[in-house]
Amino acid sequence: MMRSLTRQLLREHGYTVVEANDGRSALEWVESHPGQIDLLLTDVVMRRMSGPELVERLSVPYPTLKVVYMSGYTGELIAEREMVKRGIALLEKPFTRTSLLNTIHATLG
């Protein structure tokens, strides 16, 4: 439900959104639909492939890909586990519409 609401909010604000059920599905979609990707909004913990693993796999074909991680864990826990690399934004759940839009806008520059 949260993924659907997030997709709807982003589309309402003019973003083109591709939604995937998990990391592996996202990677499969990207591999079968080559083209420009401006930003990856991904959960840190997902089924079949974690967000950091997805980012790592996409870093070769998209070396300048901008990333926003979402997580229900505290920022300290994620930093301790080295899941968020330097310069990558973290949006802690639960988040507001405003914090989502501000984080994406700031990340895209």
Side-chain angles (χ1 to χ4, degrees), residues 10 15-17 22 26 32 38 41 57 62 69 82 86 90 92 97 101:
L10 293 174
Y15 294 100
T16 301
V17 178
D22 54 49
S32 64
D38 295 315
L41 174 63
R57 298 277 301 270
Y62 299 94
Y69 282 119
E82 298 181 16
R86 186 177 176 182
L90 172 65
E92 292 190 51
R97 297 167 57 100
L101 294 170

Side-chain angles (χ1 to χ4, degrees), residues 18-76:
V18 174
E19 179 182 0
N21 293 328
D22 54 49
R24 173 111 19 231
S25 298
L27 182 61
E28 290 169 359
W29 190 92
V30 169
E31 289 174 343
S32 64
H33 295 84
Q36 180 177 340
I37 300 174
D38 295 315
L39 179 119
L40 174 65
L41 174 63
T42 183
D43 211 320
V44 172
V45 178
M46 297 184 290
R47 297 178 301 116
R48 298 177 63 202
M49 181 183 295
S50 71
E53 185 180 354
L54 175 61
V55 169
E56 184 177 324
R57 298 277 301 270
L58 291 176
S59 68
V60 173
Y62 299 94
T64 61
L65 180 65
K66 295 181 179 177
V67 177
V68 173
Y69 282 119
M70 298 180 292
S71 180
Y73 296 106
T74 65
E76 293 81 14

Side-chain angles (χ1 to χ4, degrees), residues 1-16:
M1 184 162 99
M2 184 173 190
R3 188 173 62 237
S4 177
L5 291 171
T6 300
R7 179 193 68 234
Q8 181 181 346
L9 173 66
L10 293 174
R11 285 184 176 165
E12 286 173 2
H13 284 84
Y15 294 100
T16 301

